[in-house]
Amino acid sequence: MELTENQEMYLKILDEFIEQEVEPRLKELDTVDEYPFWMQQRMAELGFTRLVAPEEYGGLGENMTTLLLLIMRACQYNNTLGSLLNCSNNANKLLSFANEQQIETFLPRIVEEGKFMGMAYTEPSGGSDSRAVQTTAVLDGDEWVINGTKSFISYRSAVGSWQVSAKTVDEEGNEGISVFLVDAQAPGVSYGAHYDKFGWCGSDTGDVYFKDCRVPKWSVCGEINKGLHVSLSTLDGARLVIGARAVGYAEGAFEKAWEYASTREAFGRMLTDFQALQHYFADMYSDAQVCRGYLMHLASELDAGRSIGKGGSIAKLKCTTMAQQVCQRAMEICGGMGLLKDFGLSRYYEDACVLITGEGTSEIQKNIIFKAIKKDHR
Ligand SMILES: Cc1cc2nc3c(=O)[nH]c(=O)nc-3n(C[C@H](O)[C@H](O)[C@H](O)COP(=O)(O)OP(=O)(O)OC[C@H]3O[C@@H](n4cnc5c(N)ncnc54)[C@H](O)[C@@H]3O)c2cc1C
């Protein structure tokens, strides 16, 4: 694929940043489970946190193809780097539903400060069933009062605003689910300790509590009781972003395994001289290339303003499954070294496992794909 001048320029800036500032701290990033504020600040300074935000709102107006290319490169090194690139995509997500007050209050936090618009959807009772929300929002005069607990919520210390799903009742007494945009530091919002988890080191994932959290009436995203439309409307892009992260992990793990196998001897030969391992490398490389190509195709469709239908779910399912398999194989190729944290390979596998679960598990993606196939065959 031929890159545009802009894409080459952004990749060059990102590569220089990685080489000079990220690579020297990779071990720390892989082992110290704290959000790297320094990285957020530098990514904002370099302009990456405004990459795909529209120019009229202070963004650089780049497209999905450019975003995915950069995320694939970033995730070959570090997961948070990929998340920060996606921050600018939060601006487009916000603009897809926001009213004037929401844009004025929250957009600058994304575009100027590089703070995420986080998703607070999952609850202790479950994440796959987005309708099984227990959190409530009740209208009291000119304010909504939100009460509930959200769990498994990421990048809490780096978020400027939360999209929060809650059960609501409209003026006619109809029940539904609405989504609210809430200041991350609003009174009534508090945070539990971060989880000790497998993968996504430094993502500050944990509970977010809403206790009598009062927000202005204009905090509703879109229409009352139509919250699921808000969350579903930007899922296509979000799933491609997950796919791009997955390709990045797979390619990062591939390089690490290649470096090891091409310098390690066994039985008087290089590991890369064994045909069994040659076939592993051929499979790993081909699988990542196919996923990369499919993502680029879907991104160009979105950039052309066309819908990608079930493509987003197919990409999420296939890219994340591929990444988990490739990263696991890469670890096996490196023998015992592959299992040492210090070696810097196992974290790709851990991160890939997180992708399988986040933003709709593989089973949920298969449900969506099957439903779409069935509809196509009516
Ligand atoms: C590191 C990390 C970060 C996260 N960050 C966020 C975040 O920022 N914001 C947020 O809102 N959430 C976040 N999540 C939560 C994530 O979205 C949920 O974990 C995910 O949606 C699955 O929900 P669950 O864990 O409750 O599993 P469940 O919903 O309990 O599912 C358990 C199993 O049952 C399967 N299953 C469930 N329903 C069906 C069905 N209908 N058909 C077939 N199989 C089914 C699932 O596929 C899964 O294998 C994060 C999770 C992790 C691990």
Side-chain angles (χ1 to χ4, degrees):
M1 172 183 156
E2 199 176 331
L3 301 184
T4 65
E5 262 180 42
N6 270 3
Q7 287 165 348
E8 277 180 5
M9 176 188 73
Y10 291 128
L11 279 169
K12 187 166 177 284
I13 297 171
L14 183 66
D15 282 344
E16 280 170 7
F17 173 58
I18 291 171
E19 193 187 329
Q20 289 162 18
E21 300 178 52
V22 178
E23 277 198 301
R25 299 179 77 165
L26 272 185
K27 200 163 276 185
E28 170 196 331
L29 289 165
D30 283 354
T31 51
V32 180
D33 197 7
E34 283 168 15
Y35 180 72
F37 287 100
W38 63 268
M39 188 188 279
Q40 177 174 349
Q41 192 189 329
R42 289 293 291 127
M43 287 293 276
E45 282 166 8
L46 291 169
F48 284 124
T49 55
R50 62 181 71 196
L51 188 76
V52 293
E55 284 170 298
E56 61 269 37
Y57 291 101
L60 298 172
E62 279 298 331
N63 60 17
M64 184 55 80
T65 304
T66 306
L67 177 67
L68 297 192
L69 277 170
L70 289 166
I71 289 178
M72 287 191 276
R73 179 69 60 88
C75 286
Q76 290 170 12
Y77 298 89
N78 177 259
N79 177 57
T80 303
L81 206 51
S83 302
L84 282 164
L85 280 162
N86 190 38
C87 178
S88 66
N89 204 23
N90 288 176
N92 293 347
K93 194 170 168 186
L94 186 144
L95 289 166
S96 72
F97 61 74
N99 55 42
E100 255 177 53
Q101 288 104 320
Q102 289 171 332
I103 294 175
E104 205 175 292
T105 311
F106 296 116
L107 192 72
R109 298 189 190 184
I110 302 171
V111 174
E112 286 161 27
E113 298 174 44
K115 288 187 176 164
F116 297 102
M117 179 179 71
M119 286 191 319
Y121 290 158
T122 303
E123 301 202 350
S125 55
S128 299
D129 184 359
S130 46
R131 287 180 174 80
V133 176
Q134 303 294 315
T135 297
T136 57
V138 177
L139 192 60
D140 180 22
D142 274 349
E143 292 176 325
W144 287 94
V145 186
I146 304 176
N147 277 291
T149 297
K150 299 292 180 176
S151 54
F152 283 97
I153 308 304
S154 297
Y155 294 113
R156 297 170 308 158
S157 40
V159 159
S161 56
W162 290 112
Q163 273 191 290
V164 186
S165 55
K167 284 197 287 192
T168 43
V169 180
D170 68 14
E171 281 167 4
E172 281 84 47
N174 303 309
E175 293 180 3
I177 294 167
S178 303
V179 171
F180 296 83
L181 200 55
V182 179
D183 188 324
Q185 302 305 325
V189 183
S190 61
Y191 302 91
H194 72 69
Y195 305 154
D196 185 11
K197 65 179 183 339
F198 187 81
W200 275 30
C201 187
S203 69
D204 187 21
T205 301
D207 292 344
V208 182
Y209 309 112
F210 296 89
K211 176 99 180 71
D212 294 329
C213 173
R214 303 185 81 88
V215 294
K217 219 172 169 181
W218 54 257
S219 304
V220 180
C221 304
E223 290 176 52
I224 282 288
N225 286 352
K226 299 227 168 110
L228 292 179
H229 293 261
V230 170
S231 42
L232 296 178
S233 66
T234 50
L235 267 185
D236 280 351
R239 288 181 178 142
L240 298 197
V241 164
I242 295 275
R245 285 168 180 270
V247 169
Y249 301 161
E251 291 178 345
F254 177 96
E255 288 304 323
K256 197 90 188 150
W258 181 265
E259 197 185 303
Y260 180 82
S262 54
T263 51
R264 171 90 173 174
E265 279 185 34
F267 297 92
R269 298 157 75 187
M270 285 298 169
L271 291 184
T272 43
D273 290 335
F274 293 110
Q275 194 184 41
L277 298 199
Q278 291 170 355
H279 287 184
Y280 289 159
F281 279 116
D283 280 338
M284 290 156 72
Y285 185 85
S286 310
D287 290 346
Q289 281 293 304
V290 169
C291 285
R292 181 178 266 269
Y294 188 52
L295 283 179
M296 289 292 91
H297 160 68
L298 293 178
S300 68
E301 290 292 290
L302 284 185
D303 288 339
R306 288 189 283 271
S307 153
I308 57 172
K310 55 189 169 304
S313 286
I314 297 173
K316 203 262 170 187
L317 174 68
K318 288 295 161 187
C319 294
T320 55
T321 310
M322 176 281 296
Q324 199 182 35
Q325 288 166 353
V326 166
C327 296
Q328 187 179 356
R329 181 66 85 201
M331 284 168 70
E332 288 161 7
I333 289 172
C334 297
M337 290 301 285
L339 296 167
L340 298 189
K341 282 231 166 205
D342 262 4
F343 188 61
L345 176 55
S346 57
R347 75 109 182 134
Y348 291 109
Y349 175 73
E350 292 188 12
D351 291 350
C353 289
V354 174
L355 293 190
I356 296 273
T357 299
E359 298 253 6
T361 63
S362 294
E363 290 77 17
I364 296 300
Q365 302 308 329
K366 287 180 192 177
N367 291 349
I368 295 168
I369 295 163
F370 180 78
K371 258 190 216 156
I373 296 171
K374 205 170 152 191
K375 202 169 153 203
D376 291 347
H377 284 75
R378 255 187 217 146

